[in-house]
C-alpha cells in the first residue's frame, strides 16, 4: 500500500483539474472489443454450400456475435480448390472445408480423402472410422507436422456416375471423359475411364459442350442440387464408395489464438454440419432414385461389378506399400470392414 500511495503521489504531481481528478479517482473506461475475423473457403459451389456448410456457419456467426465472425467463400472464390491447403498453411485464408485429396494436401493421408474406393459402404462408416477406429489421431498427427489443424471429419454422399450416355457394363465405361477426384480417377483409369480435372464451376458447361461425358463426383442429390442432372441423362446405381470423406481444417496459429469457448462453439457448428448432411444426403439419395424425373437409372450386374470390388482390394494393398502411415490407415479400413461383415445386418449384407 505504501508503494502504491507513493506511485500515485508522484504520478499526480503537477496535474490539476480533470487530469488530477482522473488520477485521484480513476474512472472505468470500457475497452473497445475486437472481433476475431476468419475467412473460410469451401470446396462447394453456392448451391451445394447452401446445404453442406452455410447453415452451420450462419449459426456460428449468430451465436458468436461480436466475439468472432467467419466469412464464408465458395469454391474457387479466393483460390482454386487445388491451392486451398497452401493458402491455409500460409495464413492467406484461415480455414477450409474440403477433402484432403482435392485440396492437394501434402500429407501421407491425402490419398484417403474424398472417395477412397470401397473404404465405406454407408455414410455412418466415416465418423465411426475417425472417432472409434483411430483415424482422428492419425490425421491430427499428420497435419500438425505441417502447421495445419485437422478440426473434424465427416461424411457426404456416395460416389456414382452421372453420364450423357448409359453405362450398363464395364465396357461402357471405356473412354468416358469424367470429372472426378484424383484418387478415384487413379483407380477408375484401369477400367478405361479418362479422368479430367476442371474448375468446379466449369463442369456444367463442359458437359453441354461435350468436353466431358460425365461426372463421378457425387451421388444423385448433388447431381440435382448443382444442376448436373439437367445436362446428363443417366445415373449409374453402382458406386465406388459409400460416402465422401471430408473435413474442416484451420491454420494452426490462428486456431491456437482462439479462446476455449470459441473453439467449443466451432466444434458444435461442425457437428451441426455433419448431422445435417447425414439426413439430407441419406434421404435425398433414396427419394431422387424413386421420384426423380431427370435421369434414368442404369445398373452394372453384380457379378460384373464384383471385379471392380476385387480391384479395389489390390488398389488398397498398392497404397499400403507406399508408406508405414498409409499401411496403418489401410489396416484400419480392413479391420473395420471385417468387423462390419461379422456384425451382419444391418451393418453389412452378404
Amino acid at each position: 500500500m505504501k508503494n502504491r500511495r507513493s506511485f500515485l503521489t508522484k504520478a499526480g504531481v503537477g496535474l490539476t483539474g480533470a487530469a488530477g481528478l482522473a488520477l485521484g479517482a480513476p474512472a472505468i473506461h470500457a475497452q473497445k472489443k475486437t472481433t476475431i475475423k476468419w475467412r473460410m473457403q469451401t470446396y462447394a459451389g453456392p448451391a451445394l454450400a447452401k446445404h453442406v456448410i452455410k447453415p452451420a456457419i450462419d449459426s456460428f456467426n449468430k451465436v458468436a456475435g461480436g466475439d468472432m465472425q467467419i466469412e464464408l467463400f465458395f469454391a474457387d472464390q479466393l483460390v482454386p480448390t487445388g491451392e486451398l491447403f497452401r493458402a491455409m498453411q500460409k495464413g492467406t485464408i484461415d480455414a477450409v472445408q474440403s477433402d484432403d485429396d482435392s485440396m492437394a494436401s501434402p500429407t501421407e493421408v491425402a490419398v484417403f480423402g474424398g472417395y477412397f474406393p470401397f473404404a465405406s459402404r454407408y455414410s455412418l462408416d466415416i465418423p465411426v472410422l475417425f472417432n472409434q477406429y483411430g483415424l482422428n489421431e492419425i490425421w491430427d498427427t499428420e497435419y500438425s507436422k505441417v502447421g495445419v489443424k485437422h478440426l473434424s471429419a465427416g461424411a457426404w454422399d456416395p460416389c456414382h456416375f452421372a453420364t450423357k450416355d448409359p453405362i450398363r457394363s464395364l465396357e461402357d465405361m471405356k473412354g468416358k471423359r469424367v470429372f472426378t477426384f484424383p484418387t478415384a480417377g487413379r483407380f477408375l483409369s484401369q477400367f478405361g475411364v479418362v479422368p479430367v480435372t476442371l474448375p468446379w464451376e466449369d463442369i456444367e458447361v463442359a458437359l453441354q459442350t461435350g468436353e466431358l461425358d460425365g461426372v463421378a463426383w457425387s451421388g444423385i442429390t448433388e447431381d440435382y442440387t448443382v444442376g448436373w442432372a439437367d445436362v446428363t441423362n443417366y445415373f449409374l446405381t453402382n458406386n465406388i464408395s459409400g460416402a465422401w470423406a471430408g473435413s474442416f481444417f484451420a491454420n494452426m496459429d490462428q486456431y491456437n489464438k482462439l479462446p476455449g469457448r470459441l473453439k467449443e462453439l466451432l466444434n458444435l457448428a461442425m457437428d451441426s454440419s455433419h448431422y445435417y448432411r447425414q439426413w439430407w444426403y441419406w434421404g435425398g439419395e433414396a427419394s431422387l432414385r424413386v421420384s426423380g424425373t431427370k435421369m434414368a437409372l442404369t445398373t452394372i450386374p453384380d457379378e460384373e461389378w464384383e471385379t471392380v470390388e476385387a480391384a479395389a482390394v489390390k488398389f488398397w494393398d498398392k497404397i499400403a506399400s507406399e508408406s508405414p502411415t498409409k499401411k496403418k490407415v489401410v489396416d484400419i479400413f480392413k479391420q473395420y470392414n471385417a468387423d462390419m461383415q461379422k456384425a451382419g445386418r444391418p451393418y453389412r449384407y452378404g
Side-chain angles (χ1 to χ4, degrees):
M1 287 299 294
K2 182 179 180 180
N3 290 338
R4 183 171 179 269
R5 290 193 191 97
S6 175
F7 169 77
L8 290 174
T9 300
K10 292 175 181 178
V13 172
L15 294 177
T16 59
L21 288 173
L23 283 171
I28 297 175
H29 297 283
Q31 292 184 345
K32 186 178 180 181
K33 181 187 291 186
T34 301
T35 301
I36 299 170
K37 294 183 179 180
W38 271 19
R39 298 198 301 175
M40 174 185 283
Q41 184 170 310
T42 176
Y43 74 97
L48 184 58
K50 179 181 177 181
H51 295 281
V52 301
I53 187 171
K54 193 173 184 299
I57 297 303
D58 286 347
S59 293
F60 176 90
N61 288 338
K62 183 177 181 180
V63 177
D67 293 331
M68 182 174 177
Q69 291 290 292
I70 298 175
E71 187 175 7
L72 180 64
F73 294 88
F74 304 128
D76 305 314
Q77 270 194 305
L78 294 179
V79 298
T81 297
E83 298 176 15
L84 278 175
F85 177 86
R86 295 302 181 191
M88 172 175 52
Q89 187 184 45
K90 293 177 181 177
T92 305
I93 54 179
D94 304 293
V96 164
Q97 182 201 41
S98 177
D99 70 279
D100 317 69
D101 204 16
S102 297
M103 71 176 187
S105 166
T107 65
E108 288 288 322
V109 297
V111 69
F112 303 108
Y115 293 119
F116 191 68
F118 298 98
S120 63
R121 184 174 293 190
Y122 307 118
S123 58
L124 278 174
D125 291 338
I126 301 299
V128 173
L129 280 162
F130 274 88
N131 294 306
Q132 295 185 357
Y133 275 72
L135 294 192
N136 266 336
E137 290 76 13
I138 296 173
W139 260 246
D140 182 69
T141 298
E142 290 302 307
Y143 280 99
S144 294
K145 294 176 183 176
V146 291
V148 166
K149 175 65 176 176
H150 177 256
L151 295 172
S152 183
W156 275 250
D157 50 342
C159 184
H160 293 262
F161 282 82
T163 54
K164 297 168 73 173
D165 297 321
I167 296 178
R168 297 189 175 94
S169 68
L170 292 181
E171 184 67 26
D172 292 336
M173 293 171 65
K174 292 181 178 179
K176 290 287 191 296
R177 293 162 298 178
V178 173
F179 172 64
T180 189
F181 293 88
T183 299
R186 178 179 168 186
F187 173 70
L188 290 169
S189 62
Q190 66 185 289
F191 302 101
V193 173
V194 180
V196 178
T197 301
L198 290 171
W200 190 90
E201 67 270 16
D202 294 343
I203 303 309
E204 186 171 347
V205 173
L207 287 165
Q208 291 173 311
T209 61
E211 186 178 355
L212 286 176
D213 299 306
V215 294
W217 200 83
S218 69
I220 198 169
T221 304
E222 285 193 17
D223 292 333
Y224 273 75
T225 301
V226 305
W228 294 341
D230 297 323
V231 290
T232 55
N233 303 313
Y234 298 93
F235 179 84
L236 181 65
T237 60
N238 308 77
N239 60 288
I240 67 163
S241 189
W244 187 80
S247 297
F248 290 91
F249 305 87
N251 175 277
M252 184 70 80
D253 291 338
Q254 292 299 95
Y255 179 76
N256 287 339
K257 291 177 185 176
L258 293 182
R261 187 179 70 84
L262 290 178
K263 288 179 180 177
E264 191 64 29
L265 181 58
L266 186 59
N267 286 337
L268 292 171
M270 292 184 293
D271 283 347
S272 172
S273 174
H274 295 326
Y275 174 66
Y276 183 109
R277 292 192 314 275
Q278 284 285 348
W279 61 259
W280 184 66
Y281 278 121
W282 187 255
E285 296 298 305
S287 176
L288 289 170
R289 287 193 189 198
V290 173
S291 304
T293 59
K294 295 181 179 181
M295 293 188 292
L297 304 183
T298 63
T299 300
I300 296 175
D302 288 345
E303 58 273 17
E304 191 174 0
W305 192 248
E306 285 173 1
T307 63
V308 182
E309 295 180 353
V313 175
K314 294 180 180 179
F315 184 78
W316 284 20
D317 290 337
K318 183 178 180 180
I319 297 297
S321 70
E322 295 177 356
S323 76
T325 297
K326 290 178 181 178
K327 183 180 185 304
K328 188 175 181 180
V329 175
V330 169
D331 286 346
I332 288 174
F333 284 151
K334 288 182 176 181
Q335 183 62 58
Y336 176 76
N337 279 277
D339 289 349
M340 295 300 103
Q341 197 70 31
K342 290 178 182 177
R345 299 172 184 267
Y347 299 95
R348 293 292 186 267
Y349 293 81

